Amino acid sequence: MLPRPASGLVLRLRPLGESDLLVDLFSKEVGRLTALAKGGKRSKQRFFGVLLAGHLLQMSLAPSKSGDLWRLETAAVLEPHLGLRQDFRRLLAAGPVLELLLRATAPQDPQPGALELALITLGRMQRAKEAAEMASALVIFLVRLLKLLGYGLNLEACLACGRPAAEIEEPRLSLAGGLACPACPEAQGARPVLPGLIKSLAAALALEPGSLARLRLAPALLPEALAFLAAFWQEITGHDLPSLSLAIKTLS
Ligand SMILES: [Zn+2]
């Protein structure tokens, strides 16, 4: 028997019939789940202003007969992430956070670290004043989520020959999953990057979650970091991630 989730981040809303809504959520207790909000399209009292993408909800859910669908009985907003809606760039920067939780995680597979990471990232984005701050938060989210979901990048040594990172003066990042040296041209989809990028990504992976909000990447590293991480995420998920392309365009 699955635990009953008590709080969750709204990822997506889909209309169902005349008056109902299907709500995709990411909860601490069971990971991604879908809940049916009866009358969610109509009910002004129960769910009005509550069911919006990016809201963190306190909720009561009841299991349904079909097992993988829950029924949303009550919901209240714990954190609206209002700052995201006050700036068009912030909202676009936050899009991939919701889309990746929706598309890259398995249903009902608890990933408490992923929810914590998403909330740290959205919290930082909703206060960000500059595009570089939003882009740093996005890079850190993209690289940390890879690790949490088991696709972690190897940044310590060349994937092909094992030469340590400290000895590689012209590093490249490969879609095979990490660092490649120039002497190993066969590394899949490898692209040259600035040496500082390898160090910054390694720092983003090593920090405690509570310290992540203070890590900033040098602005010169951001375009390379986002381009590589977008290509790698696309490789892993096997499809286009429109929100990620849009965020990168907006932040560049
Ligand atoms: Zn090598």
Side-chain angles (χ1 to χ4, degrees), residues 8-9 17 23 37 39 53 84 101 122 140 143 162 168 204 209 214 222 241 246:
L9 180 65
V23 190
L84 297 179
L101 291 180
L122 296 179
I140 293 165
V143 77
I168 302 175
R214 290 196 298 273
L222 291 167
L241 296 162
L246 199 58

Side-chain angles (χ1 to χ4, degrees), residues 51-67:
L51 299 181
L52 281 174
H55 276 185
L56 179 68
L57 304 181
Q58 171 87 54
M59 56 201 182
S60 58
L61 290 167
S64 75
K65 278 176 236 136
S66 80

Side-chain angles (χ1 to χ4, degrees), residues 34-38 60-65 69-74:
T34 306
L36 172 66
K38 276 288 208 188
S60 58
L61 290 167
S64 75
K65 278 176 236 136
L69 185 70
W70 298 76
R71 207 173 61 244
L72 186 63
E73 297 190 320
T74 64

Side-chain angles (χ1 to χ4, degrees), residues 158 160-162 181 183-184:
C158 172
C161 71
C181 75
C184 294

Side-chain angles (χ1 to χ4, degrees), residues 155-159 161-172 179-183 195 198:
L155 300 171
E156 281 163 22
C158 172
L159 286 170
C161 71
R163 192 196 295 192
E167 294 172 17
I168 302 175
E169 281 174 19
E170 293 172 6
R172 299 181 303 151
L179 186 60
C181 75
I198 305 296

Side-chain angles (χ1 to χ4, degrees), residues 14-28:
R14 287 172 289 165
L16 183 71
E18 288 277 295
S19 60
D20 301 340
L21 279 176
L22 284 174
V23 190
D24 293 298
L25 293 144
F26 200 88
S27 69
K28 186 175 167 194

